[in-house]
Amino acid sequence: MEVSDEQSPNPINQKETSGVMEIDHIFAMIHPSDRVLQTLMDLGLVVSYRRKHEGQGTANACFCFENLYLELLWIEDPVQTSSGSSRGLGLLDREKGSHSSLSPFGIAWRQGSRTSPDEFPAWVYRPSFLPENGIAVASESSLPGQPLMFESPSSFSPIDRCESERGAIQSKQGMRAVSSITISLPETAQPSDTLRHIAMQSTPSISIVSGQFHAIQLSFSKDQGVEQRSLTIAYRSNQPKVLVHAKNQVFGRKTEHTDVGIGTVGTSPIGLDRG
């Protein structure tokens, strides 16, 4: 989806930092009828908070880990979602999951963790529920297969935010802090320059693999006495599925808990030079 000039006329000014892009959160588009939210709660995770985005027509449920959070995002008012600058996010298409050319996922970096406004092209999104100066949205988010790549209005990790703002931090053993992220793109899509740049600069580290369908995997830091865990959300069909498995297993295989077995999500790495 192209971003019109009307939607993206503003330069982006950001302070210089250490050159590392801190990932603030990952979102996955779902439909309220999907079982993803219930499955995560069945796994022992707790919803940290829920919010509605007036003017964007969406609502969410968020799971805060120590260093980032996972957001489940769904559409409540398609008219708002397809109106004004919200249209440039492509959320209606992203909700279609595997039936869309756009990824159902989003990646947000923390405010101020981009070293230069010239690192990649972006436009400024200014919905009413965000700070007046808006947030940066990577222009290449509209290219086929790409997740929505954007700036978070927050500068702090969940564990450094006040509890009244972010709610509970996950306490389930083996699923407290995210150590790495793996993004699986369909074989028909290649990572954009912006996605490659984010992956090379990110913390936690991001790997991009080529697979059969859209999927994202969060791997967690190892807890003492608990085998390292990973959580995968995959869109093999229009409805996303959730899997939890051990870190050393093949991506998406031999799950300990799953709505449906979906086989290997993605195993062919796409080369990235992280310097």
Side-chain angles (χ1 to χ4, degrees):
M1 181 188 306
E2 294 296 328
V3 179
S4 70
D5 292 338
E6 179 181 355
Q7 293 169 308
S8 54
N10 303 294
I12 299 158
N13 297 313
Q14 292 177 301
K15 63 185 179 182
E16 290 191 2
T17 61
S18 61
V20 174
M21 294 187 74
E22 298 178 2
I23 302 304
D24 184 72
H25 66 277
I26 300 291
F27 81 65
M29 292 292 300
I30 66 168
H31 188 273
S33 63
D34 293 336
R35 282 190 45 80
V36 175
L37 178 57
Q38 185 60 50
T39 299
L40 292 178
M41 291 190 293
D42 290 346
L43 290 168
L45 299 179
V46 297
V47 176
S48 302
Y49 62 87
R50 299 172 185 255
R51 288 178 183 152
K52 290 190 176 183
H53 309 121
E54 295 298 330
Q56 184 174 283
T58 57
N60 68 17
C62 296
F63 297 84
C64 287
F65 302 99
E66 291 182 359
N67 56 336
L68 57 79
Y69 67 91
L70 171 64
E71 175 185 18
L72 301 183
L73 183 69
W74 60 90
I75 294 171
E76 292 197 335
D77 187 337
V79 174
Q80 290 186 11
T81 303
S82 60
S83 301
S85 59
S86 297
R87 183 174 66 253
L89 304 179
L91 297 179
L92 283 175
D93 287 334
R94 295 181 191 281
E95 188 190 37
K96 298 176 184 177
S98 62
H99 295 171
S100 171
S101 64
L102 295 178
S103 169
F105 299 110
I107 304 171
W109 61 87
R110 281 195 194 110
Q111 188 177 58
S113 66
R114 229 173 119 202
T115 56
S116 166
D118 300 322
E119 287 174 312
F120 49 80
W123 57 281
V124 178
Y125 179 47
R126 289 192 175 95
S128 59
F129 62 90
L130 287 177
E132 187 176 329
N133 58 345
I135 60 171
V137 177
S139 300
E140 290 187 340
S141 298
S142 62
L143 296 179
Q146 305 308 301
L148 185 63
M149 297 168 281
F150 61 101
E151 175 188 59
S152 169
S154 175
S155 301
F156 301 98
S157 61
I159 201 168
D160 293 326
R161 300 176 196 172
C162 61
E163 187 174 357
S164 61
E165 176 188 346
R166 50 83 177 152
I169 296 287
Q170 305 306 313
S171 59
K172 183 176 176 61
Q173 279 191 293
M175 301 180 73
R176 295 176 178 173
V178 176
S179 59
S180 64
I181 300 165
T182 302
I183 299 171
S184 176
L185 300 181
E187 295 171 346
T188 55
Q190 291 295 316
S192 64
D193 290 343
T194 299
L195 182 56
R196 287 178 177 271
H197 176 86
I198 292 172
M200 288 189 289
Q201 300 293 326
S202 67
T203 180
S205 64
I206 293 178
S207 299
I208 305 172
V209 299
S210 179
Q212 301 172 23
F213 36 79
H214 289 290
I216 200 157
Q217 183 180 84
L218 304 181
S219 296
F220 296 93
S221 301
K222 183 175 174 58
D223 276 350
Q224 186 173 1
V226 178
E227 190 173 12
Q228 191 171 13
R229 297 287 188 258
S230 294
L231 181 153
T232 301
I233 299 178
Y235 291 75
R236 185 173 185 175
S237 61
N238 195 36
Q239 290 188 328
K241 305 299 178 184
V242 176
L243 306 93
V244 172
H245 49 87
K247 177 65 170 64
N248 61 354
Q249 292 172 350
V250 175
F251 188 23
R253 189 177 291 237
K254 295 182 180 179
T255 62
E256 296 174 358
H257 182 105
T258 176
D259 283 342
V260 59
I262 65 171
T264 302
V265 173
T267 56
S268 302
I270 294 174
L272 296 171
D273 180 7
R274 296 181 63 91

